[in-house]
Amino acid sequence: MPNLSLNCTFRFAASHFLTKYHGKCENLHGHNYKVIVTIEGPIKEDGMVQDFKGVKTIVNKKVIDKIDHTHLNDLLDNPSAENLAVWIWDEVKDELPLLKKITVYETEDYSCEYSG
């Protein structure tokens, strides 16, 4: 059975400022973030790689409920999209063994990907 990738998309709003950057983004500002959690694995007997609802429950509990409408500097020293992607990975990796990639969109045009 071939491996397939599943993508589950999440959205949240948060403020931050970059502590190690010199430019406009070192000032307090906010984003409407989009996060895509990618799971990869074979199709099981039930016809699924993993239940979308299970992924949603885990990511909401471990990530979105903690950071939606917050100030990300209270969580991370330098909350860049890159550091946020790594943090999200670390939060969910133990409960999502088929985790392949985390993609964080800071804006519609700018994103980063982390694959552990």
Side-chain angles (χ1 to χ4, degrees):
M1 197 56 74
N3 277 354
L4 293 172
S5 294
L6 303 180
N7 294 304
C8 299
T9 302
F10 302 86
R11 289 179 171 77
F12 69 95
S15 65
H16 76 149
F17 60 89
L18 300 181
T19 60
K20 296 176 175 35
Y21 178 81
H22 301 292
K24 287 184 176 184
C25 292
E26 69 184 318
N27 298 313
L28 179 64
H29 63 284
H31 296 285
N32 291 314
Y33 290 88
K34 178 169 77 170
V35 173
I36 300 174
V37 175
T38 303
I39 305 295
E40 184 177 273
I43 300 172
K44 299 180 298 192
E45 285 187 30
D46 63 4
M48 294 186 273
V49 173
Q50 185 165 351
D51 185 355
F52 286 120
K53 187 175 180 182
V55 176
K56 179 182 175 184
T57 299
I58 291 165
V59 175
N60 279 334
K61 177 184 172 191
K62 303 289 281 182
V63 175
I64 304 303
D65 291 349
K66 292 180 182 179
I67 60 177
D68 188 30
H69 285 79
T70 67
H71 181 58
L72 296 176
N73 291 76
D74 293 340
L75 177 70
L76 298 168
D77 175 52
N78 188 34
S80 63
E82 296 87 342
N83 287 333
L84 188 56
V86 172
W87 179 83
I88 293 169
W89 177 280
D90 289 343
E91 289 294 300
V92 300
K93 68 181 179 185
D94 291 340
E95 292 192 47
L96 296 173
L98 299 176
L99 183 61
K100 174 71 174 174
K101 177 174 60 176
I102 300 290
T103 306
V104 174
Y105 283 84
E106 198 171 76
T107 70
E108 193 174 304
D109 298 323
Y110 299 121
S111 66
C112 73
E113 296 179 347
Y114 181 65
S115 298

